Amino acid sequence: DIQMTQSPSSLSASVGDRVTITCRASQSIDIYVNWYQQKPGKAPNLLIYPASSFPSGVPSRFRGSGSGTDFTLTISSLQPEDFATYYCQQSYITPLTFGGGTKVEIK
Amino acid sequence: EVQLVESGGGLVQPGRSLRLSCIGSGFTFGDYALSWFRQAPGKGLEWVGFIRSKADGETTEYAASGKGTFIISRDDSKGIVYLQMNSLKTEDTAVYFCSRGVWGSYRYFFDNWGQGTLVTVSS
């Protein structure tokens, strides 16, 4: 199985900060990473799909990049509604696997 | 508006079975793959399995944790996907989400999710 190692596991940041979350795959997965945002008690919300496309309605401050084994989710200017947990997920091959999550908290 | 609504969760004893349902609306249900994910209390997300569309053979794939005990099926006429869970263990306790799978750039991504249904396996 492909292991997805996400870092950091948590971070504290202020509104307006630039935030970067990284995800490393245990083997090359080309561009096939999806990123999700999850708020407490809610379902995940798709932010980015392979690897830098984004669904309509996702703010442009969210950007994904990377290929091969190293991927990054960047929030260019953190907003109050962005405090949540973020997960990467590889879709290159089954079993589909997730990173452990990054909890973004208010500083 | 795309909607997915899960049901069927609850308290069940170890070793027993439970069937979850997920009804979709607002899209052509039969054109999409449907997947199940789960999240144990306080933990991260885990993929359970998915079923492809009829056009793609309605084939299924499963995570190792459910292979042989979990079965995913679909009824496109009703817009429902099922997760049959047999021989449940305490470690199957989780919120179970269904999600719509979209084929893009030669792989699936999951763009719409239900609100989840809680399954608690305990004696």
Side-chain angles (χ1 to χ4, degrees):
Chain A
D1 298 2
I2 295 175
Q3 308 302 317
M4 301 296 286
T5 303
Q6 197 173 331
S7 61
S9 57
S10 66
L11 65 90
S12 295
S14 301
V15 172
D17 284 353
R18 181 182 182 90
V19 169
T20 300
I21 299 168
T22 63
C23 201
R24 174 163 288 177
S26 59
Q27 66 184 74
S28 178
I29 55 172
D30 200 340
I31 61 168
Y32 297 109
V33 161
N34 305 318
W35 289 95
Y36 300 88
Q37 177 194 67
Q38 188 180 32
K39 297 182 179 179
K42 300 294 187 182
N45 181 46
L46 178 69
L47 288 177
I48 304 287
Y49 59 96
S52 53
S53 304
F54 49 94
S56 61
V58 172
S60 59
R61 63 181 178 273
F62 292 96
R63 282 292 179 264
S65 63
S67 64
T69 60
D70 294 315
F71 299 85
T72 300
L73 174 69
T74 301
I75 310 172
S76 59
S77 177
L78 199 66
Q79 297 302 300
E81 59 268 30
D82 301 337
F83 292 95
T85 300
Y86 294 85
Y87 294 93
C88 60
Q89 176 239 321
Q90 66 82 16
S91 58
Y92 182 69
I93 195 169
T94 57
L96 307 181
T97 48
F98 287 86
T102 297
K103 187 173 184 179
V104 177
E105 299 176 302
I106 301 173
K107 185 182 258 184
Chain B
E1 180 195 5
V2 173
Q3 281 200 310
L4 295 161
V5 179
E6 303 94 339
S7 61
L11 176 63
V12 60
Q13 292 179 325
R16 304 296 292 264
S17 298
L18 197 65
R19 188 178 78 162
L20 306 183
S21 302
C22 171
I23 186 162
S25 60
F27 64 103
T28 306
F29 190 86
D31 287 351
Y32 291 87
L34 280 302
S35 188
W36 288 94
F37 297 87
R38 68 184 183 181
Q39 188 168 36
K43 302 296 184 183
L45 295 166
E46 181 186 11
W47 175 68
V48 173
F50 66 65
I51 185 166
R52 294 180 177 86
S53 66
K54 187 172 184 177
D56 290 329
E58 257 183 54
T59 51
T60 53
E61 296 200 38
Y62 299 95
S65 57
K67 205 169 286 186
T69 58
F70 288 3
I71 301 169
I72 299 173
S73 60
R74 62 190 297 162
D75 184 339
D76 291 347
S77 68
K78 297 179 180 176
I80 301 177
V81 60
Y82 300 100
L83 176 62
Q84 175 70 41
M85 302 185 291
N86 302 317
S87 304
L88 282 161
K89 307 169 189 172
T90 55
E91 52 263 41
D92 294 318
T93 294
V95 174
Y96 285 74
F97 298 98
C98 70
S99 179
R100 185 178 81 164
V102 178
W103 185 253
S105 302
Y106 307 107
R107 295 296 189 281
Y108 287 114
F109 59 91
F110 302 94
D111 68 341
N112 283 273
W113 296 59
Q115 83 289 350
T117 187
L118 175 62
V119 173
T120 303
V121 184
S122 174
S123 55

